[in-house]
Amino acid sequence: HVQLVESGGGSVQPGGSLGLSCASSGSIYDTMCMGWVRQAPGKEREGVAAISPGSGRRYYGDSVKGRFTISRDGAQRTIHLQMNRLEPEDTAIYYCAATERTVLSALVFDETTYNYWGQGTQVTVS
């Protein structure tokens, strides 16, 4: 059984930075594709960033490219999301997600791809 625990988040002014972390339990971290999905009030969930196992290939949603960076720390079984130049439109609950299944690049931001989810952490930019 895999558990994901997010930390970080909070409130920041536009143009500021925040970092999120997601720690995973279980023994399959090294084989998991992991990522971040966010949901703003009244909007559908949106894929933000993802990172594959092995090669560590990174994927970013169009709205965050050049501003957000995803990374993974194998020793800590953790992924991080560094968010820079934050905008009010980035305000949302951010969820960590993971799966041990093989993920096609085209489906990396499809929320049905992931079978493990964190509880979510609030990010507010205002």
Side-chain angles (χ1 to χ4, degrees):
H1 181 66
V2 174
Q3 287 187 316
L4 304 176
V5 179
E6 299 115 334
S7 60
S11 297
V12 68
Q13 293 183 343
S17 299
L18 282 174
L20 304 180
S21 296
C22 173
S24 66
S25 64
S27 60
I28 59 173
Y29 169 86
D30 290 340
T31 63
M32 291 198 297
C33 178
M34 299 182 70
W36 295 93
V37 176
R38 69 186 181 186
Q39 186 164 24
K43 295 187 178 180
E44 295 184 352
R45 286 189 177 186
E46 174 191 12
V48 175
I51 187 164
S52 65
S55 67
R57 181 177 177 180
R58 295 169 171 84
Y59 304 84
Y60 296 99
D62 289 340
S63 62
V64 306
K65 283 180 182 176
R67 300 187 299 122
F68 290 12
T69 302
I70 189 170
S71 61
R72 63 193 300 156
D73 180 345
Q76 300 297 323
R77 295 182 176 178
T78 299
I79 63 168
H80 305 282
L81 184 68
Q82 179 62 38
M83 305 181 291
N84 297 327
R85 304 202 312 273
L86 283 160
E87 304 167 353
E89 293 74 21
D90 296 316
T91 295
I93 298 175
Y94 284 69
Y95 297 91
C96 179
T99 182
E100 71 277 45
R101 305 166 184 158
T102 300
V103 178
L104 298 176
S105 296
L107 298 178
V108 73
F109 287 142
D110 186 328
E111 62 178 283
T112 63
T113 291
Y114 299 96
N115 50 328
Y116 303 110
W117 292 85
Q119 78 283 359
T121 186
Q122 178 70 45
V123 171
T124 301
V125 185
S126 65

